[in-house]
């Protein structure tokens, strides 16, 4: 067996012991050592924990004699649900299920892990861990006070070959171990910006901290992107579509020195900015599937109004967490209405993951092995949702239609105590507590409102840090942590000073989302080319290395971006300019997306898409109705119809290239395409096709090739 196979077998045994609460301190230290030394091992751990939580929940549902209902009920005046006492388990059934689940888990994670690339991983020694932790604790003092010294584990470098190799100042081979990078240069600490610093000072701070990362990693940045690359990139990232030919030409022809800042401000004032970001957050909050029994449009209307008014992010989150009322009148209620199944376990997990950047779902069954997250903390957050119930009201039936129902989110005056079961089979109580602040569980205390207040106010800036990290990942493809929603002591950010400072400034700006977007898009890093250079080939997060943002990482369009961009390539005159007229088109887009959406129907309401790089996507681009619509020469105002009115082949090809790729063709590309058009037209005429039709089909082929190119579907 190879070293990696042996390590996998050891990791599987350690994870099994962890889930069964029989991990010794020595084994605990070994588990931490393996997971923190290898990105693949970290992914193995996350996959194992996630699947274990799902299977454990399913097993509990089958073994318990009584489970409190989480499904909608029919009366508004709900009785207070009392938690049943612990019941005897069916010993042999549980042990059999546990063995089967463990075997399935090992097979699943074995397959998942070995799908990862076997390329050597470049490991960089980070800045002094104590400085990193101190920086993080400075922004979260209450959480730092809760650290449990008994759970702190120290790994001696002398006992770990990879860590020992990192102490050397030169690049060296460690036998069967991955290649280890040279020791990076340690940089002096950076002074923080004053409160409410100027935009220029904040952008300069971003530039300097990113440059510090390049210096520490001994790399240099790629060249600056061309205006054609940048304008296409910023349109897709900010408003979710490529620019029209008129919009692109307006920017490319401008000689104003501040045209980049002017364009960003113009885009954040564009109606498409509102539809794009409301779509992004609707997808994050409730997914893409349209089968859930909620009012999707009401939620998106709430988000549209919030982004149109540029409401503070803290206010939006407060409304989503504390919302009450019916799904039609208060659109914000639909977020929790979609996740209150299974005793609000999904609501607990997604609330902390989306808004606080913390994944606590794996701790619903056991304590985290090497950080301070405990099972009790998961259920303490869960207890905030104890009072919340769903009421289903029957609405008067319209003529010729079935009787409809309306969902309402209500908070009971008495929530009761939340009980959870440990791995030893003991039932433990949990009371509402967040970041060390205990909330009274007395009657008439609205726990969700108290949770919303704690999340959005005070000196705990998890909300700001999570939003900054997510927004950075949106624009660069990678955040300061990986995954972007798993922040904490166990997963230190790549640029802690930059993350902390942007979080502070985001709070000082009043949680201004548009301002945050402008800071990121005006940074030097965002204006870099996506092309590798000889001096930054190691900056490739796709192979597991740490992102240093020395170039723009290539991203693939989302399904929504592709749909909206193909609308632009068909007829720019039909681009949405007002949300009131956009909903029907967005509804058609959502219906089109359903062919790519697969719902897992698990306890966390997960879903995936079969869009990225699949045969379905390829067929959609090759002969789907959206592409065919772009090739329609008879449609009034279409790109092809206007191109064919031009007499010069050069002008025709240049317009097609600008419409699809937001750039003009190179001289070599132009000459080759002119030759292909000429040969294609000559061939078609020999097949008894009229000259006019032959010319049309030749340019249709050129446009089709542009739309099916990697350059079109990638954000670069």
């Amino acid at each position: 067996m190879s070293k990696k196979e042996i390590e996998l077998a050891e990791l599987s045994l350690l994870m099994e012991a962890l889930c069964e609460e029989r991990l010794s301190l020595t084994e605990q230290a070994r588990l931490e050592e393996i997971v923190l030394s290898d990105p693949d091992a970290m992914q193995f751990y996350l996959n194992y924990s996630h699947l274990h939580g799902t299977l454990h929940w399913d097993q509990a549902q089958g073994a318990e004699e009584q489970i409190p209902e989480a499904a909608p009920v029919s009366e508004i005046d709900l009785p207070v649900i009392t938690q049943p006492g612990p019941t005897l388990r069916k010993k042999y059934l549980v042990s059999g299920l546990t063995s089967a689940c463990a075997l399935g888990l090992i097979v699943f994670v074995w397959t998942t892990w070995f799908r990862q690339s076997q390329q050597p991983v470049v490991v960089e020694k980070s800045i002094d861990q104590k400085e990193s932790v101190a920086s993080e604790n400075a922004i979260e003092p209450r959480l730092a006070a809760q650290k449990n010294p008994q759970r702190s584990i120290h790994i001696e470098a002398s006992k770990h070959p990879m860590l020992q190799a990192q102490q050397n100042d030169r690049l060296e081979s460690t036998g069967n171990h991955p290649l280890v990078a040279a020791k990076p240069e340690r940089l002096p600490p950076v002074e923080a910006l004053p409160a409410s610093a100027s935009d220029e000072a904040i952008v300069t701070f971003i530039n300097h901290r990113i440059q510090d990362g390049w210096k520490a990693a001994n790399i240099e940045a790629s060249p600056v992107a061309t205006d054609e690359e940048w304008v296409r990139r910023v349109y897709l990232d900010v408003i979710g579509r490529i620019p029209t030919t008129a919009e692109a030409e307006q920017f490319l022809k401008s000689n104003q020195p501040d045209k980049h800042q002017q364009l960003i401000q113009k885009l954040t004032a564009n109606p498409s900015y509102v539809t794009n970001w409301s779509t992004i957050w609707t997808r994050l909050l409730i997914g893409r599937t349209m089968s859930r029994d909620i009012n999707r449009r009401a939620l998106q209307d709430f988000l549209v109004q919030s982004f149109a008014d540029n409401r503070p992010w803290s206010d939006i989150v407060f409304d989503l967490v504390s919302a009450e009322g019916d799904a039609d009148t208060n659109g914000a209620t639909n977020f929790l209405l979609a996740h209150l199944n299974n005793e609000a376990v999904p609501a607990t997990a997604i609330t902390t993951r989306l808004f606080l950047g913390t994944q606590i779902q794996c701790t619903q069954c056991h304590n985290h092995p090497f950080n301070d997250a405990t099972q009790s903390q998961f259920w303490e957050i869960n207890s905030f949702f104890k009072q919340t119930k769903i009421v289903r009201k029957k609405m008067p039936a319209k003529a010729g239609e079935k009787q409809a129902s309306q969902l309402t989110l209500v908070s009971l005056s008495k929530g009761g105590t939340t009980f959870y079961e440990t791995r030893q089979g003991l039932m433990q109580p949990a009371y509402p507590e967040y970041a060390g602040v205990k909330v009274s569980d007395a009657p008439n205390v609205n726990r969700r409102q108290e949770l919303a207040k704690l999340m959005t106010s005070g000196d705990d800036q998890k909300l700001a840090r999570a939003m900054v990290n997510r927004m950075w990942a949106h624009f660069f493809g990678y955040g300061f942590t990986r995954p972007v929603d798993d922040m904490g002591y166990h997963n230190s950010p790549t640029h802690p000073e930059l993350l902390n400072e942007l979080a502070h400034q985001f709070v000082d700006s009043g949680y201004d989302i548009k301002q945050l977007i402008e800071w990121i898009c005006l940074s030097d890093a965002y204006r870099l080319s996506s092309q590798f250079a000889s001096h930054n080939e190691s900056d490739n997060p796709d192979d597991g290395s740490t992102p240093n943002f020395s170039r723009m990482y290539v991203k693939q369009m989302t399904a929504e971006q592709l749909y909206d961009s193909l609308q632009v390539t068909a007829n720019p005159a039909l681009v949405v300019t007002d949300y009131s007229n956009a909903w029907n088109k967005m509804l058609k887009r959502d219906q089109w997306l359903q062919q790519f959406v697969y719902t897992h129907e698990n306890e966390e309401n997960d879903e995936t898409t079969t869009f990225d790089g699949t045969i379905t996507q390829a067929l959609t681009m090759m002969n789907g109705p959206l592409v065919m619509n772009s090739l329609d020469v008879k449609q009034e105002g279409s790109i092809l119809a206007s191109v064919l009115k031009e007499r010069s082949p050069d002008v025709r090809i240049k317009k097609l290239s600008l419409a699809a790729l937001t750039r003009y063709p190179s001289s070599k590309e132009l000459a080759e395409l002119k030759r292909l058009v000429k040969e294609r037209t000559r061939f078609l005429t020999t097949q008894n096709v009229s000259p006019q039709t032959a010319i049309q089909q030749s340019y249709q082929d050129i446009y089709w090739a542009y739309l099916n190119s990697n350059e079109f579907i990638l954000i670069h």
Side-chain angles (χ1 to χ4, degrees):
M1 294 178 67
S2 66
K3 179 181 180 298
K4 193 148 192 171
E5 290 175 322
I6 295 174
E7 191 175 71
L8 171 62
E10 181 184 7
L11 186 55
S12 298
L13 293 174
L14 291 173
M15 289 301 299
E16 182 179 352
L18 167 67
C19 294
E20 295 178 0
E21 292 283 331
R22 54 180 176 82
L23 202 65
S24 67
L25 290 178
T26 303
E27 291 172 331
Q28 188 172 333
R30 177 57 179 159
L31 176 60
E32 179 177 12
E33 178 183 353
I34 294 175
V35 172
L36 295 183
S37 64
D38 187 352
D40 289 343
M42 174 66 80
Q43 190 61 49
F44 180 100
Y45 167 78
L46 293 174
N47 289 342
Y48 195 111
S49 300
H50 177 78
L51 186 58
H52 167 72
T54 300
L55 295 176
H56 175 72
W57 179 267
D58 293 341
Q59 175 184 324
Q61 289 284 67
E64 291 287 356
E65 294 182 2
Q66 290 183 320
I67 295 292
E69 291 187 6
V73 295
S74 57
E75 289 82 14
I76 297 181
D77 297 326
L78 296 172
V80 178
I81 300 176
T82 58
Q83 184 72 22
T87 58
L88 293 178
R89 294 206 172 258
K90 300 177 182 179
K91 180 177 180 181
Y92 299 104
L93 174 62
V94 173
S95 61
L97 286 172
T98 303
S99 301
C101 291
L103 179 60
L105 283 169
I106 292 174
V107 173
F108 173 80
V109 296
W110 181 292
T111 303
T112 302
W113 198 22
F114 276 96
R115 285 178 182 170
Q116 303 297 326
S117 172
Q118 298 298 319
Q119 298 294 330
V121 179
V122 176
V123 181
E124 300 176 73
K125 184 172 181 180
S126 60
I127 299 174
D128 192 338
Q129 185 180 3
K130 292 183 179 179
E131 294 178 3
S132 176
V133 175
S135 175
E136 186 170 341
N137 287 349
I139 200 168
E140 298 176 357
R142 288 183 294 177
L143 292 180
Q146 296 178 356
K147 299 292 183 184
N148 185 349
Q150 295 181 351
R151 296 183 60 81
S152 177
I153 300 175
H154 174 70
I155 300 176
E156 296 182 12
S158 60
K159 296 181 180 180
H160 193 289
M162 293 183 65
L163 298 181
Q164 185 178 12
Q166 283 184 286
Q167 295 179 340
N168 299 327
D169 292 335
R170 60 185 178 84
L171 190 66
E172 64 179 8
S173 174
T174 57
N176 294 329
H177 300 294
L179 195 64
V180 179
K183 180 179 179 180
E185 179 180 351
R186 179 172 299 174
L187 300 173
V190 179
E191 292 186 5
L193 292 174
S196 302
S198 66
D199 294 342
E200 182 180 0
I202 295 172
V203 173
T204 301
F205 186 91
I206 296 174
N207 295 338
H208 288 173
R209 300 294 72 76
I210 295 297
Q211 291 166 11
D212 288 345
W214 302 339
K215 186 177 181 180
N218 302 313
I219 59 176
E220 297 180 15
S222 293
V224 175
T226 64
D227 279 353
E228 291 87 350
E229 289 176 309
W230 188 86
V231 70
R232 189 176 194 272
R233 178 190 303 166
V234 77
Y235 263 84
L236 281 163
D237 285 343
V238 177
I239 66 173
R241 63 168 175 82
I242 62 174
T244 65
T245 54
E247 291 169 337
E249 286 180 326
Q250 182 181 10
F251 177 80
L252 297 176
K253 292 178 179 178
S254 174
N255 294 321
Q256 296 181 359
D258 62 341
K259 66 178 186 179
H260 295 84
Q261 183 174 12
Q262 287 187 17
L263 179 59
I264 295 169
Q265 293 174 349
K266 178 181 178 181
L267 291 178
T268 54
N270 190 301
S272 294
Y273 163 83
V274 172
T275 57
N276 180 47
W277 287 96
S278 64
T279 296
I280 289 172
W281 275 99
T282 299
R283 185 180 72 232
L284 288 171
L285 292 169
I286 61 173
R288 289 185 172 100
T289 181
M290 302 178 68
S291 60
R292 290 177 180 167
D293 192 13
I294 54 176
N295 191 328
R296 187 180 190 87
R297 176 168 184 177
L299 175 60
Q300 188 145 356
D301 285 344
F302 163 78
L303 293 171
V304 161
Q305 192 62 50
S306 298
F307 285 113
D309 296 340
N310 197 29
R311 295 183 64 204
W313 178 240
S314 55
D315 290 355
I316 298 175
V317 172
F318 183 92
D319 288 351
L320 290 168
V321 175
S322 64
E324 294 186 7
D326 65 77
D328 303 331
T329 305
N330 185 359
T333 60
N334 289 278
F335 164 57
L336 287 179
L337 286 172
H339 300 290
L340 277 176
N341 55 301
N342 293 350
E343 292 187 340
V345 166
T348 306
I350 196 171
T351 299
T352 55
R353 180 171 59 81
L354 281 185
F355 303 137
L356 304 175
T358 305
Q359 293 194 18
I360 65 172
Q361 63 270 19
C362 66
T363 60
Q364 72 181 80
C365 305
H366 54 75
N367 297 335
H368 199 285
F370 40 80
N371 68 32
D372 292 336
T374 63
Q375 186 182 9
S376 62
Q377 289 175 341
F378 176 92
W379 293 102
E380 286 166 358
I381 298 295
N382 177 269
S383 66
F384 281 101
F385 300 96
K386 184 68 177 179
Q387 296 169 312
T388 308
K389 299 299 174 187
I390 300 175
V391 175
R392 185 182 297 274
K393 297 180 180 178
K394 293 184 178 180
M395 306 300 292
K398 296 181 180 180
E401 296 182 3
K402 294 182 179 179
Q403 188 176 33
S405 61
Q406 182 184 68
L407 298 182
T408 302
L409 201 63
V410 299
S411 293
L412 304 177
S413 59
K414 295 181 180 179
T417 302
T418 298
F419 289 89
Y420 66 95
E421 183 180 4
T422 67
R423 293 296 294 170
Q424 290 77 23
L426 300 176
M427 299 299 294
Q428 296 289 340
Y431 303 98
E433 181 176 341
Y434 172 80
V437 179
K438 296 182 179 180
V439 174
S440 173
D441 60 345
N444 301 319
V445 174
N446 191 313
R447 299 183 190 179
R448 273 195 300 119
Q449 284 192 5
E450 295 302 317
L451 175 62
K453 291 177 184 177
L454 291 171
M455 289 172 56
T456 59
S457 61
D459 57 358
D460 177 45
Q461 296 193 4
K462 272 191 171 184
L463 179 69
R465 285 166 54 86
M467 185 59 169
V468 167
N469 197 31
R470 185 174 293 277
M471 292 294 281
W472 188 273
H474 171 84
F475 287 97
F476 285 94
Y478 293 92
F480 298 117
T481 63
R482 191 161 41 168
V484 69
D485 50 13
D486 189 21
M487 307 171 71
Y489 167 73
H490 65 291
N491 194 16
S492 299
T494 58
H495 297 71
E497 293 168 329
L498 178 54
L499 174 59
N500 290 342
E501 189 58 50
L502 281 178
H504 280 301
Q505 297 299 331
F506 184 47
V507 173
D508 290 340
S509 72
Y511 291 90
D512 191 328
I513 299 173
K514 290 185 177 181
Q515 195 68 67
L516 178 60
I517 290 174
E518 186 173 336
W519 295 336
I520 295 174
C521 291
L522 288 178
S523 67
D524 290 346
Y526 189 74
R527 293 181 61 177
L528 294 176
S529 169
S530 61
Q531 297 182 1
F532 278 106
S534 59
H535 35 255
N536 68 352
E537 291 180 347
S538 62
D539 186 10
N540 186 18
D542 288 343
D543 66 8
S545 59
T546 301
N548 285 297
F549 309 106
S550 65
R551 63 182 181 87
M552 176 53 65
Y553 307 121
V554 176
K555 310 186 293 283
Q556 181 170 310
M557 286 186 189
T558 65
E560 292 87 353
Q561 288 173 326
L562 176 62
Y563 184 96
D564 291 345
S565 294
L566 286 175
Q567 299 292 324
V568 175
T569 61
N571 193 339
L574 300 180
V575 171
V576 173
T577 57
D578 182 72
Y579 175 71
S580 60
N581 300 323
W583 176 252
N584 289 335
K585 294 183 178 180
M586 294 168 66
L587 184 60
K588 290 181 180 179
R589 180 189 64 191
D590 290 342
Q591 292 171 343
W592 174 79
L593 287 172
Q594 296 311 299
Q595 63 185 307
F596 305 113
V597 178
Y598 174 75
T599 304
H600 293 291
E601 297 182 356
N602 60 7
E603 64 164 8
E604 294 178 10
N605 305 323
D606 289 338
E607 66 179 27
T608 56
T609 62
T610 58
F611 177 76
D612 297 343
T614 61
I615 294 177
T616 307
Q617 181 206 50
L619 293 175
T620 299
M621 294 303 299
M622 290 172 62
N623 54 21
L626 290 176
V627 174
M628 293 300 102
N629 189 41
S630 296
L631 303 179
D632 187 1
V633 297
K634 298 180 180 180
Q635 182 183 163
E636 184 65 28
S638 69
I639 293 290
L640 268 175
S642 63
V643 162
L644 291 172
K645 292 178 182 179
E646 301 290 343
R647 302 184 64 85
S648 168
D650 293 53
V651 175
R652 288 174 175 175
I653 294 175
K654 287 180 179 179
K655 284 195 171 184
L656 290 178
S657 178
L658 186 65
L661 306 180
T662 322
R663 66 166 177 82
Y664 294 111
S666 65
S667 57
K668 182 179 179 180
E669 179 183 345
L670 181 61
E672 185 66 19
L673 289 176
K674 286 168 61 179
R675 183 186 65 80
L676 290 174
V677 168
K678 187 176 181 180
E679 291 181 356
R680 177 67 172 165
T681 303
R682 184 187 302 117
F683 170 77
L684 290 174
T685 54
T686 62
Q687 304 298 313
N688 297 323
V689 178
S690 67
Q692 181 180 3
T693 303
I695 292 174
Q696 288 179 356
Q697 291 183 10
S698 297
Y699 284 101
Q700 283 177 323
D701 290 346
I702 298 296
Y703 205 29
W704 181 93
Y706 273 142
L707 296 179
N708 277 274
S709 66
N710 286 337
E711 188 175 355
F712 175 77
I713 204 169
L714 296 177
I715 306 174
H716 50 86

